[in-house]
Amino acid sequence: MEDQNNIVTMEHITKTFPGVKALDDVSFHLSCGEVMALLGENGAGKSTLMKILSGVYTRDSGSIKLFGTEVEGDLTPKKAQKLGVAIIHQELNMCAHLTVAENIFLGKEIVKGRILSNQEMNRQAKEVLDSLRIDIDPQTIVGTLAVSKQQMVEIAKALQAEAKVLIMDEPTSALTSKEINQLFSLIRELKAKGCAIVYISHRLEELQHIVDRVTIMRDGKFIIENDFHSMSMDKIISYMVGREIKEKFPRVTTEKKEKILSIKNLNAGKMVRNVSLDVYKGEILGIAGLMGAGRTETTRAIFGVDKKESGEIELEGKQVSISCPDDAIKEGIVLVPEDRKRDGLCTKLSVRENVALPNLDVICNKLGVINRKREREIADKAISDLHIKLPTREVNASSLSGGNQQKVVVGKWLARDSKVVMFDEPTRGIDVAAKVEIYHLMNQLKQQGIGVLFVSSEMPEIMGVSDRIIVMCDGRVTGELMRSEATQEKILAYATKFENKFENENL
Amino acid sequence: QGAKEQASGGYKVYLITMDQMDQHWVNVDKGAQKAASELGGIDYKWLAPDIKDDAKQIECINNAVAGGADAIMLAANGPTAVTAALKEAEGAGVKIIYVDSAANYPAVQTLATDNTAAGATAGKELIKALNAKGVTSGKIGIISVNSATASTVARENGFRKAFDGLQFTLLETQYCDGDAARSKDMSANFITQGVVGLFGANEGSTVGVGNAIAEAGKSVIGVGFDKSDMILSLIKSGNLLCTMAQNPDVMGYEGMKTTVKALKGESVGASYFDTGVSVLTKNNL
Amino acid sequence: MERERRNPVKKVLAIRGIGQVLTVTVGLIVLYVVFGIMNPVFFSSRNIANLLRQIAPILLIGIGQSYVLITGNIDLSIGSVVGMSCMISATMMTKGANPIVAVIITMICCLAIGLANGLLVSFAKLPPFIATLGTMTIARGIAQIANNNYNTDSIGEAAQGFRDFFYYGKTMGLYNTIWIAAVLWIIFNFILNRTKSGRHIYAIGSNLEAARLSGVNVISATNKAYLVSAFVSCVVGLITSATSGMGTMDAGNSYELYAVAASVIGGVSTLGGQGLLFGTVIGASIWGVLQNGLQFAGAPVAIRNIVIGIIVVVSVLLDVIVRSGKGTRKKKATASM
Amino acid sequence: MERERRNPVKKVLAIRGIGQVLTVTVGLIVLYVVFGIMNPVFFSSRNIANLLRQIAPILLIGIGQSYVLITGNIDLSIGSVVGMSCMISATMMTKGANPIVAVIITMICCLAIGLANGLLVSFAKLPPFIATLGTMTIARGIAQIANNNYNTDSIGEAAQGFRDFFYYGKTMGLYNTIWIAAVLWIIFNFILNRTKSGRHIYAIGSNLEAARLSGVNVISATNKAYLVSAFVSCVVGLITSATSGMGTMDAGNSYELYAVAASVIGGVSTLGGQGLLFGTVIGASIWGVLQNGLQFAGAPVAIRNIVIGIIVVVSVLLDVIVRSGKGTRKKKATASM
Ligand SMILES: Nc1ncnc2c1ncn2[C@@H]1O[C@H](COP(=O)(O)OP(=O)(O)OP(=O)(O)O)[C@@H](O)[C@H]1O
Ligand SMILES: Nc1ncnc2c1ncn2[C@@H]1O[C@H](COP(=O)(O)OP(=O)(O)OP(=O)(O)O)[C@@H](O)[C@H]1O
Ligand SMILES: [Mg+2]
Ligand SMILES: [Mg+2]
């Protein structure tokens, strides 16, 4: 591999966190003008390896060669930037109070004399955004943007740095398909310019559009490095998980039974308008739609997180009133939220305490005293059912890798008897094997006669798992399809059925 | 200048104290009010900062001047801090009278307790009682407010002077910020250290001293400063030997009389008016 | 999933946040020994009883502040509530009220402040620093107005039982104040560690939004923390009026800061979600030993302030250094307030 | 993407965080008018000059606290640094030092505390509340030890120039104190809004980790904020010693809280990342007008405290209510400290 094109060479890298050997003698090579996919299960060490390359973490041992010269001592973010390494982090890293332009130029502000040249920065930020075909005013406050837009700003920020090595850690997990298309054409342009790109993603189907080579890791160890096109997808998956995955979308058929949940004319803010839907025992109801279609808001309104303006909720034929999540949980309706960092986990509490949190009513006696044995049992069961990878159940939730954190968020709801479980993008950012585990889990719930509501932005997944699909657009339900009749085209047609504003005004 | 104010309804007189918390100041105010109503035709107002603080007292003086004062009765926080503000005030035609404590700036009259002398009296009372018990040496503890208040520092110094040349050891002064509960803790610590006598330099300090002695048994003799219901009951129960009672009402009453005399251009007599202290013991209550 | 249950030492070490507690416990022992060597009176049983009685109020307000800090908030009104409790109870007793009635009414007033704090922070969503700065000022005003801007007279002979109960009396050879602190500590420690309410308090401090989505009633959990804080402050105020036998308007001045110091020295995070009441005991003890020991050492006030400041900083610094040996992520968590 | 640049009104309204500033400006005007009606002396030019001179020190420490709050930290040492500055400068001048030399040495000592704060928080990663609680105690100790536990004597005639410069003199008909505050405000407002350092101060307060990963020198930005805070506190200390003509050990007591109140009333977030020094001017003015106005209204201290507490709470509450009309996301951000 020692040709002069080789601009990154990492050899024998090890890194240990308390209780975890995150990297164990890993090697990684990157040549200019190529897109390298870095693949592996959750917790394989992908992010850690890239954080070492970009100076966020320091390595315990091993060597790094950048552009042919050995890196002496530790890298810092600033040093890495100067050398031409830019990274788009897996977790959003924006200053929410600052504007888009201020974020893009943070740490490398343009000054005239000693005074900030805001005009110039706004102008250049606009240029970068335009080159990405992102329609955002550089003067908007980042905190007011949707997650997908923030992600695009992150990308713009990395581009602005004109890096020669660009690391993208799951850049598409929050993007819309239009934005993904833009990103891919951009990646091709950069590649043509000789930029080297490291691309980390769990969405294996998108790799074929851009990737040249793959590096696969498992459990902190280097497994293989190869040309992408010489390997089949199944091969890649088996390297990642160490075994064959038989079915990507396991399916069980159960008889559709009586109606369990019925939502009538729900209104909650701009994003939920006149939403009606029914969920039956023994089926998985998928909700499809583009980003920003209001699916998250619908689940939040049902769960009582956001205020409802009007509408009725019937559970098993009886009308229920839900004004806060606690009401919903008591009625037996639960929600696995979309944004695990913000809404899902208490990161300073242990995994045990996180799993126990919504189930305290079950594991407490009448006086509210916690039965610690039952608490441990519940936690252990969730850990083993979902194959959560961790040293002990007492570690802080913050120390788990992204995918394992997601499993904890799912796990805490499985310990109780619910009637309806709503999953909002439960597989975002988790690996194939873990995805299949979550599908199995939804199937299990379905078999137990629990109503399952499943929000996803990934077409194959929603078609592969749901029994019935409703499609939302702009806060309204625009269509409903049985699995047998669903195609990508039909879903997309419904998902883009925007209201005709003009007609609307005449009504 | 004063004539203009007079036309619109008598003299404007401000009383400015160190803060508004102590009963002491309330009594000064009462005395002043009494004199004002007796004399009639006086627009009297009491201004005080919320906490003892030089800068805030200066603001009060400035405010009084801005408010059109003809005279200010002032209990100065310290001798120096307010002098420049007083100069400005006098420049604006305001007459100055000190009550309770004076500053280093000439004024019409000072009506005050001589704190150093009163502290020494407290010391002498304590020595007398110790000697009567046959105690001629040992440790003595002092509890005071803080080291920044001139009047209590003067009492402390007077008290210490009384022990000059004797065999007693005076321990490091403890400051309780006038908090009776904290003073109680500090006094208890002193007693554990084996003191034979305790001195409290103001009301709160004295209450703490008395309570600590009440609890530890009467092997230690306590003397204090100021008069309050609690202190008197501690004296009655024999837990305190005596207290140095000031006469704040006299300061206010006589102060107001002096003020009006000065405003009318009459003679006010000597420039220092000792309002005196009385030693209150179980016997003379 | 090891068998950590077998080995009691391992079990203790596995408690989250025990690290700092152990570090500062060592510090406490060192301090105690140093002061004892400087002045052997310090070791006398009399002084130990005294010392414990001086630590008790700090521990009590420390418990309250710890509860609030664990929810990710702060309570600046503690000192003023102490003052309010002291003045209201004393005023009522000097006016001849039955001590029990006086205590109940005082408690109601103090809990009202606690409830106001809780609602301002959780329901009205004010920043806790400013909400409790407001109630701090208001409560001090109430303390002053209680007896019409005077300290009260002596609460008198009738209330001797009250004074004995809260301060002067002994039960089984130990001062009642110490008993009160110990019993309340046991109760509040149990609630915090073993009940649903306690778990909710940790959860909202760790991630308010996630807790809410897990069905935690955020408003009620916040209120509980502030009510506990107001409750212990009220008790300290009663102890203060029993100690002095009168009501003083200044009582409790700066206690909110002592409470923060006791909590944080003991490892409670000002960021929320983290802390043990064991730590608060050690923190309060360090504070008490310092105050008491420095008096015995005869240090002037200035030196005392400097020493206390240095020890506050060093005790927390030590913990950061000890922990920094164990990876970087935790360190980051303590970086901001 | 409107063309908001054209319309100056729109331009002002587009400034981030201007909402609260406008709300409280209305509050300030109402307060002023109410007090003026209660007591017409309040409108006299003499009182206005007086009032401005009383607002100046609060504004100055407010600037410092705002800088620190915007970085997401807090500075509790402000009041003690004021005391230290007052005592050190006065002690030196009473011992005959040239005022300029005294000012320079005082400034060095105060900046050392600021640097210590910055390093403890950013480098040693102590929680800012506890780090500055420590330095607060230490700085107060230094203030006390400066003249050996006594307030100083008069700084004397030799230093009359010093006293005029900082307090008693006038320039162009306005008291120098007001000029000092105005000039420093302009400088620090410029630095905060128009320089790289200012931008970095906002950035670390908004998201420390993101700023660090973007190559912002977090340690240096934090230090700068604490140094500004120590600098303005030092100036206020000098003003205090010029005012009194002597050093008082208690000077500046509780100023850190006034500074927080001025900042937060003016819309600076205790969570960091947000705030305008325009707001701090309004916040400081409200504080000053309240103190001055209530004194003229003849309100006893107790009532004064209660009114101030209520106004602090209501002013922030108003803002929360006004903002809650505009969607939920922002509200969430202000929910915790
Ligand atoms: N700062 C940290 N402290 C402790 N453990 C960590 C830390 N960062 C990562 N780890 C651990 O190191 C291992 C590798 O984590 P890493 O984030 O690199 O995985 P990943 O391959 O990026 O996974 P994912 O696909 O879920 O993002 C995991 O076991 C994780 O728990
Ligand atoms: N808390 C919030 N406050 C204000 N606006 C919000 C908030 N959350 C989301 N939005 C806005 O709502 C729109 C949709 O947000 P988001 O990208 O989360 O998609 P979504 O509604 O969850 O849709 P889906 O789940 O169907 O993808 C965006 O325009 C975003 O700016
Ligand atoms: Mg990762
Ligand atoms: Mg969504």
Side-chain angles (χ1 to χ4, degrees), chain A residues 17-18 20-23 40-49 51 57 90 169-170 200 202 340 389 398-404 429-431, chain C residues 328-329 332:
Chain A
F17 291 114
V20 200
K21 190 149 201 183
L23 297 175
E41 285 186 284
N42 295 128
K46 306 179 295 290
S47 299
T48 306
L49 185 66
K51 282 181 180 173
Y57 290 160
Q90 183 172 12
D169 196 347
E170 300 200 32
I200 301 178
H202 290 293
R340 60 174 170 261
K389 217 182 279 173
S398 59
S399 69
L400 303 189
S401 79
N404 282 308
I430 71 175
D431 64 61
Chain C
T328 48
R329 178 167 292 186
K332 264 176 233 157

Side-chain angles (χ1 to χ4, degrees), chain A residues 362-399:
Chain A
V362 184
I363 55 178
C364 286
N365 68 14
K366 277 196 216 84
L367 292 172
V369 178
I370 297 167
N371 181 333
R372 294 207 276 192
K373 189 158 154 271
R374 288 197 56 196
E375 185 185 13
R376 283 193 293 265
E377 285 165 4
I378 282 185
D380 287 344
K381 185 163 183 303
I383 290 165
S384 66
D385 283 357
L386 292 171
H387 308 286
I388 301 173
K389 217 182 279 173
L390 38 61
T392 82
R393 65 169 118 75
E394 300 301 327
V395 296
N396 281 1
S398 59
S399 69

